């Protein structure tokens, strides 16, 4: 952990203040890992640019005293239709690791993903994080290894099972290379070849044996969204990994309309 700042989070009034405080109390190499993208970071910038180009069309004189933003997603009641994304190596940013966002999400009334490359692991995060959790897996083993994680996620009460499908090769994150920084998720390099071997055949086997909704994270085209529908996937998680995997991709929100059209109401779409 880096140096502490005196301001309490409860005294912060803007998102900018939170980001500034996080930057001040985080070591430089950890901060670069957190905010950086792959190679030229073009995809990272396109994500932001695509969002900035979306404009509101504000309507007025509508009765809005009783707005209800809550809904149920995958059987999980949410105060807002928002879920905290899975982030690996969180323990290098916060000592509590995955428990910290799990507790925050639970307190606020939303849900959180647990990354398989984040401590303190499936059991402790569920026990101490209080539920409202979805498990996300990086495939680092064979079919039996994947099924064991599926069984464990089901037994522990996770609300859904998520396979990340856009990491056949890890992105070349130049900030990390220049800093000489290795995130926790990349310290143990065993099993990476299984990510490159992941295909629709394994996805079908997981789907056939899963009692949980199945999410595919890393769909970034209309074509793959249509294939996901053919394989009866429950949730298409539209993602370019925050610009941290393949560089020179499109901004995710630019791809959203075609993915929603391809899903055609047959699967939920997360982004």
């Amino acid at each position: 952990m880096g140096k502490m700042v005196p301001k309490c989070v409860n005294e912060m009034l803007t998102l900018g203040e939170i980001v500034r405080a996080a930057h001040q109390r985080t070591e430089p190499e950890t901060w670069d890992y957190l905010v950086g993208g792959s190679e030229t970071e073009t995809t990272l910038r396109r994500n932001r640019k695509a969002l900035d180009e979306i404009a509101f069309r504000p309507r007025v004189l509508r009765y809005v005293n009783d707005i209800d933003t809550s809904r149920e997603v995958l059987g999980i009641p949410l105060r807002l239709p928002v879920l905290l994304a899975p982030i690996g190596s969180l323990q290098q940013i916060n000592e509590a690791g995955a428990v910290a966002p799990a507790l925050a999400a639970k307190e606020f009334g939303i849900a959180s993903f647990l990354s398989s490359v984040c401590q303190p692991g499936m059991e402790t995060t569920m026990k101490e994080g209080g539920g409202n959790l979805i498990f996300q897996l990086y495939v680092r083993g064979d079919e039996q290894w994947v099924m064991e994680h599926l069984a464990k996620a089901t037994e522990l009460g996770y609300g859904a099972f998520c396979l990340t499908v856009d990491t056949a090769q890890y992105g070349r994150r130049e900030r990390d290379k220049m800093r000489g920084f290795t995130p926790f998720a990349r310290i143990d390099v065993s099993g990476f070849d299984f990510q490159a071997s992941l295909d629709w055949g394994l996805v079908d086997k997981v789907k056939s044996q899963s009692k949980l909704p199945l999410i595919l994270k890393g769909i970034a085209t209309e074509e793959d969204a249509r294939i996901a529908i053919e394989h009866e996937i429950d949730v298409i998680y539209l993602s370019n990994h925050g610009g941290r995997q393949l560089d020179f991709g499109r901004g995710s929100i630019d791809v959203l309309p075609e993915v929603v059209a391809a899903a055609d109401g047959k699967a939920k779409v997360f982004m």
Side-chain angles (χ1 to χ4, degrees), residues 137-167:
L137 183 68
Y138 286 104
V139 176
R140 297 259 185 98
D142 60 13
E143 180 183 326
Q144 181 181 346
W145 182 91
V146 173
M147 295 306 175
E148 288 172 354
H149 280 78
L150 172 61
K152 190 172 183 181
T154 306
E155 177 187 350
L156 291 171
Y158 282 83
F161 189 74
C162 174
L163 290 174
T164 289
V165 297
D166 64 347
T167 53

Side-chain angles (χ1 to χ4, degrees), residues 51-270:
L51 285 167
D52 288 343
E53 289 180 347
I54 293 176
F56 288 124
R57 297 180 65 251
R59 302 296 305 276
V60 299
L61 297 176
R62 299 294 194 269
Y63 183 85
V64 292
N65 273 349
D66 302 314
I67 295 298
D68 181 9
T69 58
S70 66
R71 65 183 61 190
E72 188 174 285
V73 177
L74 304 180
I76 304 172
L78 302 176
R79 180 177 168 191
L80 297 169
V82 171
L83 303 97
L84 300 187
I87 302 176
S89 307
L90 270 175
Q91 63 274 23
Q92 289 181 280
I93 301 166
N94 184 304
E95 291 177 356
V99 173
L103 287 171
K106 182 71 173 179
E107 180 180 347
F108 189 78
I110 59 175
S112 178
F113 280 79
L114 167 66
S115 170
S116 63
V117 291
C118 189
Q119 296 296 330
M122 298 174 71
E123 294 184 28
T124 303
T125 302
M126 177 58 77
K127 180 179 178 181
E128 297 183 5
N132 275 27
L133 287 166
I134 294 170
F135 182 70
Q136 171 265 323
L137 183 68
Y138 286 104
V139 176
R140 297 259 185 98
D142 60 13
E143 180 183 326
Q144 181 181 346
W145 182 91
V146 173
M147 295 306 175
E148 288 172 354
H149 280 78
L150 172 61
K152 190 172 183 181
T154 306
E155 177 187 350
L156 291 171
Y158 282 83
F161 189 74
C162 174
L163 290 174
T164 289
V165 297
D166 64 347
T167 53
Q169 296 291 330
Y170 267 128
R172 188 175 187 274
R173 299 177 192 170
E174 296 184 359
R175 292 197 197 207
D176 292 352
K177 289 183 176 297
M178 289 187 291
R179 292 278 190 188
F181 178 75
T182 303
F184 170 85
R186 298 196 188 189
I187 293 173
D188 178 8
V189 296
S190 63
F192 282 6
D193 54 327
F194 288 103
Q195 293 179 178
S197 302
L198 180 60
D199 61 13
W200 289 105
L202 181 56
V203 169
D204 283 340
K205 291 176 182 177
V206 173
K207 173 66 178 173
S208 68
Q209 295 190 36
S210 180
K211 297 178 181 178
L212 300 176
L214 180 59
I215 304 170
L216 294 189
K217 180 180 182 289
I219 301 292
T221 63
E222 173 188 0
E223 292 87 346
D224 283 338
R226 291 191 185 280
I227 296 172
I229 294 301
E230 292 172 5
H231 290 262
E232 299 182 344
I233 299 305
D234 299 291
V235 179
I236 295 169
Y237 190 153
L238 169 58
S239 169
N240 57 32
H241 223 102
R244 296 159 72 81
Q245 272 299 108
L246 179 67
D247 202 10
F248 300 103
R250 295 167 64 192
S252 287
I253 199 114
D254 281 341
V255 186
L256 182 61
E258 67 187 57
V259 168
V260 169
D264 193 28
K266 299 180 178 70
K268 296 186 182 300
V269 177
F270 289 177

